[in-house]
Short mmCIF file of all heavy atoms in Angstrom, two decimals:
data_model
loop_
_atom_site.label_atom_id
_atom_site.label_comp_id
_atom_site.label_asym_id
_atom_site.label_seq_id
_atom_site.Cartn_x
_atom_site.Cartn_y
_atom_site.Cartn_z
N GLU O 1 0.86 -1.21 -0.04
CA GLU O 1 -0.02 -0.07 -0.02
C GLU O 1 0.88 1.29 -0.01
O GLU O 1 0.58 2.20 -0.70
CB GLU O 1 -0.97 -0.03 1.19
CG GLU O 1 -2.08 -0.97 1.07
CD GLU O 1 -2.97 -0.72 -0.15
OE1 GLU O 1 -3.32 0.52 -0.38
OE2 GLU O 1 -3.33 -1.66 -0.81
N GLU O 2 1.94 1.23 0.78
CA GLU O 2 2.88 2.39 0.80
C GLU O 2 3.48 2.55 -0.56
O GLU O 2 3.65 3.68 -1.01
CB GLU O 2 3.93 2.21 1.88
CG GLU O 2 3.47 2.33 3.28
CD GLU O 2 4.52 2.10 4.33
OE1 GLU O 2 5.73 2.09 4.00
OE2 GLU O 2 4.20 1.90 5.52
N ALA O 3 3.91 1.47 -1.16
CA ALA O 3 4.56 1.55 -2.51
C ALA O 3 3.54 2.10 -3.52
O ALA O 3 3.91 2.98 -4.32
CB ALA O 3 5.02 0.19 -2.94
N ILE O 4 2.35 1.61 -3.47
CA ILE O 4 1.32 2.06 -4.46
C ILE O 4 1.03 3.54 -4.27
O ILE O 4 0.92 4.35 -5.17
CB ILE O 4 0.03 1.27 -4.35
CG1 ILE O 4 0.32 -0.15 -4.89
CG2 ILE O 4 -1.09 1.89 -5.15
CD1 ILE O 4 -0.84 -1.12 -4.65
N ASP O 5 0.94 3.99 -2.97
CA ASP O 5 0.64 5.39 -2.67
C ASP O 5 1.76 6.27 -3.13
O ASP O 5 1.63 7.33 -3.78
CB ASP O 5 0.38 5.57 -1.21
CG ASP O 5 -0.94 5.03 -0.70
OD1 ASP O 5 -1.79 4.78 -1.57
OD2 ASP O 5 -1.07 4.81 0.49
N TYR O 6 3.01 5.83 -2.89
CA TYR O 6 4.20 6.58 -3.31
C TYR O 6 4.19 6.73 -4.83
O TYR O 6 4.40 7.82 -5.36
CB TYR O 6 5.47 5.86 -2.82
CG TYR O 6 6.71 6.56 -3.30
CD1 TYR O 6 7.31 7.62 -2.59
CD2 TYR O 6 7.33 6.16 -4.48
CE1 TYR O 6 8.45 8.23 -3.00
CE2 TYR O 6 8.48 6.80 -4.93
CZ TYR O 6 9.08 7.84 -4.23
OH TYR O 6 10.17 8.44 -4.65
N ALA O 7 4.03 5.60 -5.54
CA ALA O 7 4.11 5.61 -7.00
C ALA O 7 2.96 6.46 -7.54
O ALA O 7 3.18 7.29 -8.51
CB ALA O 7 4.03 4.20 -7.53
N ALA O 8 1.73 6.36 -7.03
CA ALA O 8 0.63 7.12 -7.54
C ALA O 8 0.87 8.66 -7.34
O ALA O 8 0.64 9.41 -8.30
CB ALA O 8 -0.66 6.76 -6.80
N LYS O 9 1.36 9.04 -6.22
CA LYS O 9 1.68 10.44 -6.01
C LYS O 9 2.74 11.01 -6.87
O LYS O 9 2.69 12.09 -7.44
CB LYS O 9 2.06 10.70 -4.53
CG LYS O 9 0.82 10.61 -3.59
CD LYS O 9 1.29 10.74 -2.13
CE LYS O 9 0.14 10.45 -1.21
NZ LYS O 9 0.51 10.41 0.23
N GLU O 10 3.79 10.20 -7.07
CA GLU O 10 4.92 10.63 -7.89
C GLU O 10 4.49 10.72 -9.36
O GLU O 10 4.86 11.65 -10.03
CB GLU O 10 6.12 9.60 -7.78
CG GLU O 10 7.33 10.00 -8.53
CD GLU O 10 8.01 11.27 -8.03
OE1 GLU O 10 7.81 11.67 -6.88
OE2 GLU O 10 8.69 11.91 -8.81
N LEU O 11 3.74 9.70 -9.84
CA LEU O 11 3.27 9.75 -11.23
C LEU O 11 2.25 10.91 -11.42
O LEU O 11 2.30 11.60 -12.46
CB LEU O 11 2.60 8.47 -11.59
CG LEU O 11 3.64 7.27 -11.78
CD1 LEU O 11 2.89 5.95 -11.89
CD2 LEU O 11 4.47 7.52 -13.03
N GLN O 12 1.43 11.09 -10.44
CA GLN O 12 0.49 12.28 -10.58
C GLN O 12 1.15 13.65 -10.62
O GLN O 12 0.80 14.50 -11.38
CB GLN O 12 -0.50 12.19 -9.36
CG GLN O 12 -1.80 13.02 -9.64
CD GLN O 12 -2.79 12.67 -8.56
OE1 GLN O 12 -2.48 12.44 -7.38
NE2 GLN O 12 -4.05 12.66 -9.04
N ARG O 13 2.23 13.74 -9.81
CA ARG O 13 3.05 14.90 -9.85
C ARG O 13 3.60 15.21 -11.21
O ARG O 13 3.82 16.30 -11.61
CB ARG O 13 4.20 14.79 -8.82
CG ARG O 13 5.02 16.06 -8.62
CD ARG O 13 6.09 15.90 -7.57
NE ARG O 13 7.13 14.96 -7.93
CZ ARG O 13 8.12 15.29 -8.74
NH1 ARG O 13 8.25 16.45 -9.29
NH2 ARG O 13 9.11 14.35 -9.00
N ARG O 14 3.88 14.12 -11.94
CA ARG O 14 4.48 14.22 -13.28
C ARG O 14 3.36 14.26 -14.39
O ARG O 14 3.69 14.21 -15.54
CB ARG O 14 5.43 13.08 -13.57
CG ARG O 14 6.60 13.06 -12.62
CD ARG O 14 7.50 11.87 -12.85
NE ARG O 14 8.53 11.84 -11.83
CZ ARG O 14 9.79 11.62 -12.16
NH1 ARG O 14 10.16 11.43 -13.39
NH2 ARG O 14 10.75 11.64 -11.22
N GLY O 15 2.12 14.26 -13.97
CA GLY O 15 1.05 14.43 -14.93
C GLY O 15 0.62 13.10 -15.57
O GLY O 15 -0.07 13.12 -16.61
N ILE O 16 0.90 11.96 -14.91
CA ILE O 16 0.48 10.64 -15.42
C ILE O 16 -0.47 10.01 -14.46
O ILE O 16 -0.13 9.85 -13.30
CB ILE O 16 1.70 9.73 -15.63
CG1 ILE O 16 2.68 10.37 -16.64
CG2 ILE O 16 1.29 8.41 -16.17
CD1 ILE O 16 3.98 9.64 -16.77
N ASN O 17 -1.68 9.74 -14.91
CA ASN O 17 -2.68 9.07 -14.06
C ASN O 17 -2.67 7.58 -14.38
O ASN O 17 -2.89 7.18 -15.51
CB ASN O 17 -4.05 9.64 -14.28
CG ASN O 17 -4.11 11.06 -13.75
OD1 ASN O 17 -3.56 11.41 -12.78
ND2 ASN O 17 -4.82 11.91 -14.48
N VAL O 18 -2.42 6.72 -13.40
CA VAL O 18 -2.40 5.28 -13.57
C VAL O 18 -3.33 4.70 -12.57
O VAL O 18 -3.32 5.10 -11.38
CB VAL O 18 -0.93 4.78 -13.38
CG1 VAL O 18 -0.93 3.28 -13.58
CG2 VAL O 18 -0.03 5.46 -14.33
N ASP O 19 -4.09 3.69 -12.92
CA ASP O 19 -5.02 3.00 -11.99
C ASP O 19 -4.17 2.11 -11.01
O ASP O 19 -3.05 1.74 -11.29
CB ASP O 19 -6.08 2.23 -12.63
CG ASP O 19 -5.61 1.14 -13.53
OD1 ASP O 19 -4.72 0.35 -13.10
OD2 ASP O 19 -6.16 0.96 -14.64
N ARG O 20 -4.75 1.83 -9.90
CA ARG O 20 -4.06 1.05 -8.83
C ARG O 20 -3.71 -0.33 -9.27
O ARG O 20 -2.68 -0.84 -8.91
CB ARG O 20 -4.94 1.02 -7.53
CG ARG O 20 -5.03 2.41 -6.90
CD ARG O 20 -5.74 2.37 -5.58
NE ARG O 20 -5.11 1.72 -4.53
CZ ARG O 20 -4.21 2.24 -3.73
NH1 ARG O 20 -3.83 3.49 -3.98
NH2 ARG O 20 -3.65 1.58 -2.76
N GLN O 21 -4.52 -0.98 -10.12
CA GLN O 21 -4.22 -2.30 -10.51
C GLN O 21 -2.92 -2.35 -11.38
O GLN O 21 -2.14 -3.26 -11.19
CB GLN O 21 -5.37 -2.84 -11.34
CG GLN O 21 -6.64 -3.18 -10.58
CD GLN O 21 -6.35 -4.33 -9.60
OE1 GLN O 21 -5.95 -4.10 -8.42
NE2 GLN O 21 -6.61 -5.56 -10.05
N LYS O 22 -2.79 -1.40 -12.25
CA LYS O 22 -1.62 -1.30 -13.07
C LYS O 22 -0.35 -1.06 -12.22
O LYS O 22 0.67 -1.65 -12.43
CB LYS O 22 -1.73 -0.20 -14.11
CG LYS O 22 -0.63 -0.16 -15.11
CD LYS O 22 -1.00 0.85 -16.22
CE LYS O 22 0.06 0.81 -17.32
NZ LYS O 22 -0.31 1.68 -18.41
N LEU O 23 -0.49 -0.20 -11.24
CA LEU O 23 0.62 0.11 -10.29
C LEU O 23 0.93 -1.14 -9.48
O LEU O 23 2.14 -1.48 -9.33
CB LEU O 23 0.27 1.27 -9.31
CG LEU O 23 0.33 2.66 -9.96
CD1 LEU O 23 -0.05 3.67 -8.84
CD2 LEU O 23 1.70 2.99 -10.44
N LEU O 24 -0.05 -1.86 -9.05
CA LEU O 24 0.13 -3.14 -8.29
C LEU O 24 0.94 -4.07 -9.07
O LEU O 24 1.94 -4.67 -8.64
CB LEU O 24 -1.23 -3.67 -7.83
CG LEU O 24 -1.09 -5.09 -7.12
CD1 LEU O 24 -0.37 -4.90 -5.79
CD2 LEU O 24 -2.55 -5.56 -6.91
N ALA O 25 0.51 -4.31 -10.32
CA ALA O 25 1.23 -5.21 -11.20
C ALA O 25 2.66 -4.82 -11.49
O ALA O 25 3.54 -5.67 -11.46
CB ALA O 25 0.45 -5.39 -12.51
N THR O 26 2.85 -3.51 -11.72
CA THR O 26 4.20 -3.07 -12.03
C THR O 26 5.12 -3.19 -10.78
O THR O 26 6.28 -3.51 -10.86
CB THR O 26 4.14 -1.62 -12.53
OG1 THR O 26 3.14 -1.54 -13.61
CG2 THR O 26 5.49 -1.17 -13.11
N ILE O 27 4.59 -2.84 -9.60
CA ILE O 27 5.42 -2.93 -8.39
C ILE O 27 5.69 -4.39 -8.09
O ILE O 27 6.78 -4.74 -7.62
CB ILE O 27 4.71 -2.22 -7.20
CG1 ILE O 27 4.65 -0.66 -7.50
CG2 ILE O 27 5.36 -2.48 -5.89
CD1 ILE O 27 3.77 0.11 -6.60
N GLU O 28 4.70 -5.27 -8.27
CA GLU O 28 4.96 -6.68 -8.04
C GLU O 28 6.06 -7.21 -9.00
O GLU O 28 6.88 -8.00 -8.61
CB GLU O 28 3.69 -7.52 -8.25
CG GLU O 28 2.78 -7.33 -7.05
CD GLU O 28 1.49 -8.14 -7.22
OE1 GLU O 28 1.14 -8.61 -8.34
OE2 GLU O 28 0.79 -8.28 -6.22
N ALA O 29 6.11 -6.70 -10.20
CA ALA O 29 7.17 -7.11 -11.14
C ALA O 29 8.51 -6.65 -10.64
O ALA O 29 9.51 -7.35 -10.69
CB ALA O 29 6.88 -6.53 -12.54
N ALA O 30 8.55 -5.42 -10.04
CA ALA O 30 9.78 -4.89 -9.44
C ALA O 30 10.15 -5.77 -8.26
O ALA O 30 11.40 -6.02 -8.14
CB ALA O 30 9.59 -3.45 -9.03
N TRP O 31 9.22 -6.15 -7.48
CA TRP O 31 9.51 -7.03 -6.32
C TRP O 31 10.13 -8.38 -6.80
O TRP O 31 11.09 -8.86 -6.24
CB TRP O 31 8.29 -7.22 -5.49
CG TRP O 31 8.45 -8.19 -4.40
CD1 TRP O 31 9.06 -7.94 -3.19
CD2 TRP O 31 8.09 -9.55 -4.35
NE1 TRP O 31 9.07 -9.11 -2.42
CE2 TRP O 31 8.49 -10.12 -3.11
CE3 TRP O 31 7.47 -10.39 -5.26
CZ2 TRP O 31 8.32 -11.41 -2.76
CZ3 TRP O 31 7.27 -11.73 -4.89
CH2 TRP O 31 7.61 -12.19 -3.65
N MET O 32 9.47 -8.94 -7.86
CA MET O 32 10.00 -10.20 -8.35
C MET O 32 11.43 -10.09 -8.95
O MET O 32 12.23 -10.95 -8.73
CB MET O 32 9.04 -10.73 -9.42
CG MET O 32 7.66 -11.13 -8.92
SD MET O 32 6.54 -11.57 -10.21
CE MET O 32 6.64 -13.33 -10.00
N GLN O 33 11.64 -9.00 -9.60
CA GLN O 33 12.97 -8.76 -10.18
C GLN O 33 13.99 -8.57 -9.03
O GLN O 33 15.11 -9.06 -9.10
CB GLN O 33 12.95 -7.47 -11.05
CG GLN O 33 14.22 -7.25 -11.78
CD GLN O 33 14.15 -6.01 -12.67
OE1 GLN O 33 13.28 -5.11 -12.42
NE2 GLN O 33 14.94 -5.96 -13.68
#
């Protein structure tokens, strides 16, 4: 949840809106890597 919140805020600051499911999948891929 902390990772998703951090990523959502950072992306929103840069003008990119991403849904939570996409962030979850991308963060899980980073965790697996």
Side-chain angles (χ1 to χ4, degrees):
E1 286 299 316
E2 287 179 16
I4 290 172
D5 289 341
Y6 175 89
K9 287 175 185 173
E10 184 65 24
L11 289 167
Q12 197 168 37
R13 185 179 68 79
R14 296 174 187 230
I16 301 172
N17 292 322
V18 181
D19 62 45
R20 291 184 71 81
Q21 289 295 90
K22 187 172 184 177
L23 283 177
L24 175 65
T26 310
I27 293 169
E28 283 180 347
W31 175 79
M32 293 174 101
Q33 185 179 25

